[in-house]
Amino acid sequence: MHKRRAADLAQHRVEELRDSYGPPTQHQWTPRQSETYETAVRAWRDLDRDARTAMAEYVKEGGQSRHKIEAKLRRAVQQDDPDS
């Protein structure tokens, strides 16, 4: 659950930056903005990969349906989120 939550937070950060800076194809970003955005995207990608890998290992060990486990995980993450 912690890995999925970290990946979701990283995705949220990428979306915040995109909202703040504007779409990269419509606005001229400064080098610092580009670097910040790219770093955030890499972090999100890496955290999401780690969360998916952990999920796959958990499913493999438990022998349960991936869809059911993912649904339970999403509910647990949302319940842990005070904004949801």
Side-chain angles (χ1 to χ4, degrees):
M1 182 172 90
H2 298 291
K3 289 182 181 191
R4 178 77 269 149
R5 179 82 172 124
D8 290 350
L9 289 172
Q11 179 183 7
H12 182 69
R13 176 67 178 144
V14 168
E15 292 167 355
E16 285 178 336
L17 289 170
R18 194 178 305 132
D19 289 345
S20 175
Y21 298 163
T25 57
Q26 295 178 2
H27 298 296
Q28 186 70 22
W29 288 358
T30 67
R32 184 174 181 172
Q33 287 174 320
S34 294
E35 183 179 339
T36 300
Y37 183 79
E38 289 302 319
T39 299
V41 168
R42 281 192 304 273
W44 172 28
R45 181 193 63 218
D46 293 347
L47 289 165
D48 188 62
R49 181 198 59 230
D50 293 347
R52 285 184 286 116
T53 299
M55 171 64 72
E57 290 172 1
Y58 184 80
V59 168
K60 187 177 178 180
E61 290 173 6
Q64 296 178 354
S65 163
R66 183 180 186 102
H67 289 303
K68 288 181 182 180
I69 293 173
E70 285 178 349
K72 288 179 186 179
L73 177 63
R74 283 286 170 199
R75 282 192 301 273
V77 168
Q78 288 174 352
Q79 289 173 355
D80 189 44
D81 184 0
D83 293 334
S84 65

